[in-house]
Amino acid sequence: MTKVLLSLHVLAAIVAVGPVTVAASMFPPAVRRAGADAAGVGTVRLLRRICRVYSGIGLAVPALGFATASAMGVLGDKWLVASITLTAVAAGILIAFVLPRQDELLEQLDAGQAVERSGTARLAMFTGIFNLLWATVTVLMIVRPGSTTGA
Ligand code: HEM
């Protein structure tokens, strides 16, 4: 059972977090290129949709993570508590800064307003922090410092 849960957890991380990383990273340059071009705005809209939909699917990652952890009896382990904290911070940055800022920039494009470079740079910064956090969680999940279970 643990193996099934762990497989689903890793699968969810690849399928959901991967697309969010790519689409969110492409978003700021896509906004800068879009300008008044309708096709460019369409690309930005698609990237925003990918971020939204796959962030929702990404909720399966911590859910399956908790299920795996309780099946393995490692819920109190320090590496896991650190991972859970970093996952929560990453999710918070995505929900509080990245997704709302994407919406604002898309609204500006839809309204035909000029998008300032500082606006996309700020979004790129939060997106970078989000990516760095979950990449750190992935390394923690694999290295599991201090763990006596597994390799
Ligand atoms: C609340 C958040 C999370 C919890 C409770 C959790 C829990 C777990 C547990 C218990 C394992 C098994 C470790 C072992 O084999 O001893 C695991 C493995 C793994 N997790 Fe998570 N996880 C969480 C978030 C994440 C996130 C955000 C990612 C990546 C985006 C991730 C990626 C992985 C990977 C790649 C493995 C496989 C490591 C390996 O077996 O070498 N996890 N996770």
Side-chain angles (χ1 to χ4, degrees):
M1 190 57 194
T2 308
K3 288 207 164 97
V4 176
L5 287 171
L6 180 57
S7 304
L8 291 175
H9 172 63
V10 176
L11 205 64
I14 293 168
V15 172
V17 186
V20 177
T21 309
V22 176
S25 302
M26 289 171 76
F27 195 97
V31 169
R32 282 198 291 272
R33 272 196 304 270
D37 164 30
V41 178
T43 304
V44 174
R45 202 182 308 283
L46 176 66
L47 291 173
R48 173 188 168 274
R49 195 168 152 67
I50 293 172
C51 289
R52 293 241 149 208
V53 171
Y54 284 87
S55 300
I57 299 173
L59 289 174
V61 177
L64 289 162
F66 277 115
T68 310
S70 53
M72 293 174 72
V74 293
L75 258 178
D77 285 19
K78 286 197 188 77
W79 67 271
L80 194 65
V81 174
S83 307
I84 294 170
T85 309
L86 291 180
T87 302
V89 176
I93 287 178
L94 188 69
I95 293 164
F97 297 105
V98 177
L99 297 178
R101 187 73 195 126
Q102 288 184 350
D103 289 350
E104 279 170 31
L105 290 173
L106 184 59
E107 275 166 28
Q108 285 179 24
L109 285 177
D110 278 337
Q113 291 169 9
V115 174
E116 289 193 17
R117 209 184 158 81
S118 62
T120 53
R122 217 172 121 78
L123 174 61
M125 182 190 77
F126 282 118
T127 305
I129 296 171
F130 166 76
N131 287 340
L132 212 62
L133 281 170
W134 81 253
T136 309
V137 174
T138 306
V139 175
L140 269 177
M141 297 265 139
I142 293 166
V143 178
R144 280 166 275 148
S147 167
T148 49
T149 58

